[in-house]
Amino acid sequence: MGIWMKAKEAAEEVRTEVAKAAAEYRAEGIVPKVAVLLVEGDPASAYYAESKRKIAAKLGIEFELLALPPESSERQLIDVVTAWSRDERVHGIMLELPLPRHISAAAVATAIDPLKDVDGVTPANKLAVMTGEPGLYPATPQSCIRLLRAYGYSPEGKHVALVGRGQTVGMPLFHMLQREQATVTVCHSRTADLKRHVQGADIVIAAVGRAGLLTKEMFRGETVVIDAGINEMADGGIAGDVAPDAIETAAAVSPVPGGVGTLTTALLFENAIKAIRLQRQAVKKGAEAK
Ligand code: NAP
């Protein structure tokens, strides 16, 4: 029987640090502010945006949520994030996904100032993740690695089976794990024998979006499993990609809810604090260059 890798404590530590940094900025006359753009129509996105508002209030971070109607144009969204990018009072910008089909998320993301891009969705920050340059890295992949470390598991020298190669979680993690000195096997929908790859891994990270895809038969006694999947179930609850009874065969499993997602939200605000620092450095550099 393995252990559940709950994220509550690690998330609390991050939130404490963020609240402290936010208070220090406020004392200097800078009010940390995050702005979130939501297109109405997806109840889950609206729920996530509202939960971010509650956390921001607890951390001393100002929060603006702009909800646009579903028929809004791509141009309107680009105009909003462009205005926030130019607004000195806004330090972090988030775009709630998914967007309606007629709007390209990539086109809107490109209009966000990379120094305010707390979700790590701009081309500049995606490149930074690939190359290891400083930047704002997406919070969910960071959360997976931080949760491993919180329980004393290091990816260094380990064989990691990464299940899912999506742009939000899988692909950034692929690059980040290699910099953590892991050997990474990337599995996806065309992988012929998922069980074989998962069985051969020391660490398994699931980022697919299919409840119960990974079952207890796939794990050995020493496998450590991070579940980044979020699946909305018919009963209104949420489940991960890993069947809950995997705890019977794996060494450790991160729960859903209460695992990766819990730490992700805290790390988004950590990114917001980092964003302020990066913006101040850029202003200083600009002044020195004159
Ligand atoms: P995505 O872009 O839809 O990618 C899903 C990936 O899963 C794709 O690479 C797909 O393969 C692969 N896949 C689909 N069916 C598979 C199968 N049967 N076997 C193996 N691989 C399969 O998703 P995403 O945006 O990266 O998100 C992944 C999951 O993370 C979702 O559940 C999402 O809700 C969750 N998420 C969690 C957080 C958090 O904070 N916890 C944040 C963001 C997202 P192909 O490439 O071949 O299509």
Side-chain angles (χ1 to χ4, degrees):
M1 196 74 168
I3 56 150
W4 287 110
M5 290 189 279
K6 294 181 186 168
K8 196 174 170 215
E9 222 170 278
E12 195 51 53
E13 271 173 35
V14 173
R15 285 195 292 264
T16 303
E17 286 304 310
V18 169
K20 192 167 153 249
E24 283 166 7
Y25 277 126
R26 279 179 178 261
E28 283 181 48
I30 298 167
V31 179
K33 179 174 175 179
V34 162
V36 177
L37 180 56
L38 168 78
V39 177
E40 287 164 340
D42 180 54
S45 299
Y47 172 81
Y48 289 132
E50 279 306 327
S51 49
K52 283 174 196 159
R53 183 202 294 282
K54 284 184 203 141
I55 294 170
K58 285 186 192 152
L59 299 177
I61 291 179
E62 208 172 293
F63 190 88
E64 179 178 344
L65 173 60
L66 179 63
L68 294 179
E71 63 276 12
S72 303
S73 68
E74 187 175 291
R75 186 71 251 163
Q76 280 173 296
L77 271 73
I78 289 174
D79 288 346
V80 168
V81 298
T82 303
W84 282 341
S85 293
R86 290 179 185 149
D87 186 342
E88 277 180 15
R89 292 162 304 176
V90 174
H91 304 100
I93 300 171
M94 298 183 205
L95 180 63
E96 287 295 342
L97 300 176
L99 296 176
R101 292 167 74 95
H102 67 280
I103 300 174
S104 154
V108 182
T110 304
I112 298 174
D113 177 351
L115 298 178
K116 298 187 178 185
D117 171 26
V118 291
D119 271 328
V121 293
T122 57
N125 283 318
K126 284 186 174 184
L127 185 66
V129 169
M130 287 169 74
T131 58
E133 290 294 313
L136 293 168
Y137 292 8
T140 307
Q142 284 194 64
S143 171
C144 295
I145 294 175
R146 296 268 281 262
L147 195 51
L148 280 173
R149 291 204 175 281
Y151 281 83
Y153 299 112
S154 163
E156 185 174 343
K158 296 290 190 303
H159 177 198
V160 179
L162 181 56
V163 190
R165 57 178 172 184
Q167 291 299 319
T168 331
V169 194
M171 282 323 284
L173 252 179
F174 169 68
H175 297 290
M176 289 161 71
L177 284 166
Q178 289 191 78
R179 273 199 302 285
E180 296 277 340
Q181 310 302 345
T183 302
V184 188
T185 299
V186 181
C187 306
H188 45 79
S189 65
R190 308 288 181 91
T191 297
D193 188 352
L194 183 62
K195 186 176 174 184
R196 179 167 64 87
H197 294 291
V198 170
Q199 265 178 343
D202 305 302
I203 297 172
V204 178
I205 305 184
V208 175
R210 283 190 60 173
L213 177 71
L214 301 183
T215 54
K216 66 176 181 180
E217 296 74 27
M218 296 179 167
F219 305 118
R220 298 174 286 121
E222 56 275 29
T223 326
V224 174
V225 187
I226 295 286
D227 191 353
I230 298 180
N231 304 287
E232 285 163 36
M233 307 305 278
D235 65 0
I238 66 161
D241 294 338
V242 179
D245 61 2
I247 198 74
E248 293 169 18
T249 55
V253 183
S254 72
V256 179
V260 172
T262 303
L263 187 52
T264 295
T265 323
L267 292 173
L268 272 176
F269 288 101
E270 186 184 79
N271 263 359
I273 294 295
K274 187 176 174 190
I276 301 177
R277 204 180 72 230
L278 293 175
Q279 287 156 40
R280 295 183 92 194
Q281 281 170 358
V283 169
K284 208 170 144 206
K285 259 193 195 166
E288 281 167 5
K290 276 183 192 161

